[in-house]
Amino acid sequence: MDLAFPHVFLWTLLAFLLTWTVFYVNNRRKKVAKLPDAATEVRRDGDADVIIVGAGVGGSALAYALAKDGRRVHVIERDMREPVRMMGEFMQPGGRLLLSKLGLEDSLEGIDEQIATGLAVYKDGQKALVSFPEDNDFPYEPTGRAFYNGRFVQRLRQKASSLPTVQLEEGTVKSLIEEKGVIKGVTYKNSAGEETTAFAPLTVVCDGCYSNLRRSVNDNNAEVISYQVGYVSKNCQLEDPEKLKLIMSKPSFTMLYQISSTDVRCVMEIFPGNIPSISNGEMAAYLKNTMAPQVPPELRKIFLKGIDEGAQIKAMPTKRMEATLSEKQGVIVLGDAFNMRHPAIASGMMVVLSDILILRRLLQPLRNLSDANKISEVIKSFYVIRKPMSATVNTLGNAFSQVLIASTDEAKEAMRQGCFDYLSSGGFRTSGMMALLGGMNPRPLSLIFHLCGITLSSIGQLLSPFPSPLGIWHSLRLFGLSMKMLVPHLKAEGVSQMLSPAYAAAYRKSYMATTAL
């Protein structure tokens, strides 16, 4: 017994040391696997190719597109319930074309969506009916769709999650995992409240205008320029519901449009510093006493219906933010987390769908996404190829919104009247502007041509029937105001990239060559 004891002790000690050694080595391997080399990452079987933060319009559409290309996609969304939003309720004809190229056109079906053929524009008792043009160069039906945003988002999520290589998970992303300037994945809290991690060679931040990850990737800040105040009038239908109603009211525009067969969205723009309180009823009184009298009589009953029935009034900040390229590798930002423009032309979803088409085509030649340097080159190419389209839409949205602002300044008001007259004049001027507004012809030169046309038309009114010293003075001021609207936006977007024939050709290649799989 006494002689055997030391042997038993030694064998027990040896077994303990071997067990500890195996445990230590395995644990070290796991740690190394979590943080591989920055240039070449070895993907584990359980890892995705792409992590997408946010399952809104952009995140869900991107997940579907990449999964169709054979990528394994992990989508993490904070709240999987149907969103209740006031924005993202209209898809322009150009956006519908992009949806079709992604194979997602049926996402706008079966949600009580409403056909929109154009605008009914009202100003000071005048009315103009303008339609999206029948353009042979536009290879799709020239109509838009209005709908409840949440229903559309849920359809996109269903489409994405129907693919076997998409994992759609509810969770709140807390931070990005970074090593030596390369984003490796995310830390998030899952639906059970457990904090966990996910890793992928490429992380896409697509969590909307309130993104809490944007600042850790980009240094751009969103500027709040106004507020959109709106509500829904239920159990009613507009006269000629296929036309969105745009009212040039004061202080800025008011819109009414059918978002279901029984519901009408009423929305208007109010500027900071003069916003009545919603909670104590001041906003409802303001809408009823100040805004309603400006609404044309045929629309006023529907406008007042929602207020009288106690509809929930919401105020959403209107934000503007230029797109900037992140210096970090392994990550890209998309959607409202990346780039925002004034919503007056309802083109935010169209821009993100265009971005998805470009990004998808650039990633398709890559067999895997493990080379961080190649991914960085793709992201840089994406940033410049998107410019001809995105810069056109951004500049148009910001300039058009400024024209819609009411003013006692004679030059500014002449520009506002000139815009109405240009839109309602018919011919190539109306069709050209509506093609721009509908995303059917998102070309920078067309934008510049029509904005200059509105300016010259407005100047012509100031100088008619005969030029006067005061008319000439206001004309010069109007020209200066027009350049102030246009030039800073063109400069911010990058004129050389925006007007580059090479980038325009690369965009057309992405736009025309990409087809749904």
Side-chain angles (χ1 to χ4, degrees):
M1 291 284 294
D2 293 338
L3 292 174
F5 177 76
H7 295 284
V8 173
F9 175 78
L10 289 173
W11 281 111
T12 303
L13 179 62
L14 181 60
F16 172 78
L17 291 174
L18 285 172
T19 302
W20 183 86
T21 301
V22 171
F23 175 80
Y24 177 80
V25 171
N26 285 338
N27 192 49
R28 288 293 297 170
R29 284 176 179 169
K30 288 180 181 177
K31 289 183 178 178
V32 171
K34 285 181 180 178
L35 294 175
D37 179 75
T40 305
E41 180 173 340
V42 180
R43 189 185 71 188
R44 298 174 295 178
D45 287 341
D47 287 343
D49 296 299
V50 182
I51 292 171
I52 300 176
V53 182
V57 173
S60 300
L62 178 63
Y64 181 86
L66 295 181
K68 277 291 190 178
D69 289 341
R71 310 289 186 191
R72 296 192 291 184
V73 186
H74 185 184
V75 186
I76 305 171
E77 163 60 36
R78 182 181 59 84
D79 189 348
M80 293 299 295
R81 294 173 298 180
E82 182 176 310
V84 180
R85 297 187 65 215
M86 192 172 69
M87 301 298 217
E89 295 177 331
F90 186 74
M91 184 67 73
Q92 298 284 5
R96 292 184 61 227
L97 171 63
L98 297 172
L99 272 177
S100 71
K101 287 182 172 292
L102 291 169
L104 291 167
E105 63 270 30
D106 58 348
S107 298
L108 277 178
E109 297 172 1
I111 57 173
D112 199 13
E113 72 285 356
Q114 301 298 298
I115 295 174
T117 60
L119 297 171
V121 188
Y122 300 83
K123 185 181 187 299
D124 300 331
Q126 307 169 85
K127 178 181 178 181
L129 297 177
V130 292
S131 300
F132 298 118
E134 295 280 351
D135 191 341
N136 294 331
D137 293 332
F138 183 70
Y140 206 71
E141 180 191 13
T143 60
R145 293 293 185 273
F147 45 83
Y148 273 104
N149 173 268
R151 297 175 185 176
F152 178 49
V153 169
Q154 290 301 87
R155 286 299 305 274
L156 289 173
R157 289 173 178 174
Q158 290 166 10
K159 291 280 288 186
S161 60
S162 69
L163 301 179
T165 56
V166 175
Q167 178 191 357
L168 191 56
E169 180 181 8
E170 186 169 271
T172 302
V173 175
K174 298 295 185 181
S175 61
L176 301 174
I177 298 173
E178 179 180 350
E179 183 194 10
K180 298 178 181 178
V182 180
I183 302 301
K184 301 292 185 176
V186 298
T187 298
Y188 69 102
K189 186 175 287 187
N190 61 24
S191 57
E194 302 166 337
E195 190 164 294
T196 184
T197 55
F199 296 89
L202 177 62
T203 298
V204 182
V205 176
C206 199
D207 54 348
C209 61
Y210 297 109
S211 173
N212 63 345
L213 299 178
R214 179 172 58 229
R215 290 185 180 179
S216 61
V217 180
N218 292 332
D219 59 358
N220 53 342
N221 293 312
E223 174 192 3
V224 176
I225 53 179
S226 65
Y227 288 85
Q228 302 292 305
V229 176
Y231 56 92
V232 174
S233 291
K234 293 184 174 292
N235 301 313
C236 54
Q237 190 173 65
L238 292 165
E239 179 184 334
D240 191 10
E242 293 189 355
K243 290 286 193 291
L244 283 71
K245 318 304 181 188
L246 172 61
I247 305 160
M248 291 188 172
S249 54
K250 299 176 183 179
S252 188
F253 68 92
T254 299
M255 288 198 75
L256 283 78
Y257 52 94
Q258 203 82 37
I259 56 172
S260 77
S261 55
T262 59
D263 298 345
V264 173
R265 168 69 70 189
C266 304
V267 64
M268 63 232 62
E269 182 172 46
I270 298 179
F271 296 102
N274 190 31
I275 302 176
S277 171
I278 294 176
S279 59
N280 65 10
E282 288 180 2
M283 180 63 78
Y286 172 80
L287 297 177
K288 199 167 186 176
N289 300 325
T290 303
M291 299 306 301
Q294 301 182 61
V295 175
E298 64 266 32
L299 305 175
R300 195 172 301 156
K301 183 177 179 180
I302 291 178
F303 183 88
L304 290 170
K305 190 174 189 294
I307 302 170
D308 292 338
E309 294 178 354
Q312 183 183 13
I313 300 172
K314 294 183 178 181
M316 295 283 294
T318 300
K319 297 182 178 182
R320 181 172 58 207
M321 185 176 69
E322 298 168 14
T324 58
L325 187 63
S326 173
E327 295 182 359
K328 300 182 188 298
Q329 292 185 315
V331 64
I332 186 169
V333 187
L334 287 180
D336 284 349
F338 176 54
N339 184 203
M340 287 181 275
R341 80 288 307 150
H342 198 286
I345 60 170
S347 294
M349 294 186 295
M350 184 174 67
V351 171
V352 74
L353 292 172
S354 172
D355 286 349
I356 289 169
L357 274 174
I358 296 168
L359 183 61
R360 177 193 190 182
R361 187 184 72 81
L362 292 173
L363 290 174
Q364 280 174 338
L366 301 183
R367 188 174 179 182
N368 63 70
L369 307 180
S370 59
D371 191 323
N373 293 323
K374 286 185 178 179
I375 293 297
S376 293
E377 291 303 312
V378 163
I379 294 172
K380 289 177 183 176
S381 297
F382 159 79
Y383 181 72
V384 294
I385 290 173
R386 72 184 294 271
K387 280 291 184 178
M389 190 274 188
S390 65
T392 299
V393 173
N394 291 344
T395 304
L396 175 62
N398 293 327
F400 189 61
S401 66
Q402 291 180 58
V403 171
L404 293 177
I405 299 172
S407 176
T408 55
D409 184 294
E410 191 167 339
K412 290 181 179 180
E413 185 55 31
M415 174 71 89
R416 199 170 187 239
Q417 182 64 46
C419 180
F420 176 87
D421 294 338
Y422 195 90
L423 265 175
S424 59
S425 61
F428 75 93
R429 290 182 289 186
T430 298
S431 62
M433 273 302 296
M434 289 302 291
L436 277 169
L437 291 170
M440 302 165 66
N441 180 26
R443 296 177 181 174
L445 290 178
S446 180
L447 167 69
I448 294 171
F449 173 82
H450 286 289
L451 289 183
C452 289
I454 292 173
T455 301
L456 294 176
S457 175
S458 304
I459 289 174
Q461 290 183 0
L462 286 172
L463 296 178
S464 67
F466 301 104
S468 65
L470 186 60
I472 293 172
W473 168 242
H474 286 312
S475 297
L476 292 173
R477 289 183 59 248
L478 189 150
F479 182 79
L481 289 169
S482 176
M483 293 301 100
K484 190 176 180 180
M485 287 180 187
L486 183 61
V487 174
H489 293 304
L490 292 176
K491 185 177 179 181
E493 294 291 343
V495 177
S496 60
Q497 295 173 340
M498 186 175 174
L499 300 178
S500 166
Y503 296 147
Y507 176 75
R508 285 195 298 273
K509 185 177 180 181
S510 298
Y511 187 79
M512 301 304 297
T514 305
T515 56
L517 297 181

